[in-house]
Amino acid sequence: VTIGAIIVLILFVVTVALETEYWWHYHSYTSGNTMSQAEVLARTLGQLANLVLGLMLLPVSRHSVLNQAFGLSFEQMLFAHIWLGYSLLVLLIAHFSSWYVVYHQQHLFPSDVLEVPMYFPTNGQDKTAGRCSDDWTVPLATVTVFTTLFAVGVLAHHQVRRSNYELFYYAHHVFLAMY
């Protein structure tokens, strides 16, 4: 382990800590104080997943400025990419699990998971008013994430990569739909 790798790790931990602090405590959500802690947690985890997803690209570029600035080899950076992928998987599972808790608290689970249009957010109306959400992206994003988790997560397993590299390689391009 090099000093450069330790510096990059410290910078990553500080970035995640500051992002968590911001999204959990300081971000001014539009619905004011009516948000449950589960919803704030779900939104915070989603933003952390966005952060990790963006950072996953840095280690796998062969001529990254990070490699040169911190004296890191491509193999070390590839290791970071793999662990960022595992972190993303954990964050995504926690993110949609937190949303399922929010849906359950509002008596909308499991009906709202893939409904178009959804009941949540209710935009200030009671559920008896019918589906009143103006957000059509959540069911599409849910299907996209599950597809991407399979394509990139399962097909990135080292046995698949070793036995059929092209399947591994092209499956990784599915992330473009998610990113």
Side-chain angles (χ1 to χ4, degrees), residues 98-111:
S98 298
W99 272 116
Y100 294 166
V101 168
V102 172
Y103 293 156
H104 180 71
Q105 288 173 345
Q106 298 186 5
H107 309 290
L108 299 172
F109 184 80
S111 64

Side-chain angles (χ1 to χ4, degrees), residues 60-152:
V60 292
S61 58
R62 292 203 182 259
H63 303 290
S64 172
V65 72
L66 285 177
N67 296 26
Q68 296 170 357
F70 294 105
L72 302 172
S73 68
F74 178 72
E75 290 78 19
Q76 287 174 310
M77 296 301 279
L78 192 59
F79 179 78
H81 173 76
I82 292 168
W83 278 101
L84 284 171
Y86 288 137
S87 301
L88 179 64
L89 178 64
V90 169
L91 284 169
L92 287 174
I93 290 170
H95 171 66
F96 57 73
S97 297
S98 298
W99 272 116
Y100 294 166
V101 168
V102 172
Y103 293 156
H104 180 71
Q105 288 173 345
Q106 298 186 5
H107 309 290
L108 299 172
F109 184 80
S111 64
D112 231 20
V113 174
L114 294 175
E115 289 288 326
V116 177
M118 299 170 57
Y119 285 107
F120 182 82
T122 58
N123 295 327
Q125 298 180 26
D126 190 62
K127 183 180 176 182
T128 58
R131 291 178 170 84
C132 50
S133 173
D134 54 1
D135 187 358
W136 294 64
T137 61
V138 173
L140 177 61
T142 301
V143 170
T144 305
V145 166
F146 285 135
T147 305
T148 305
L149 284 178
F150 173 75
V152 179

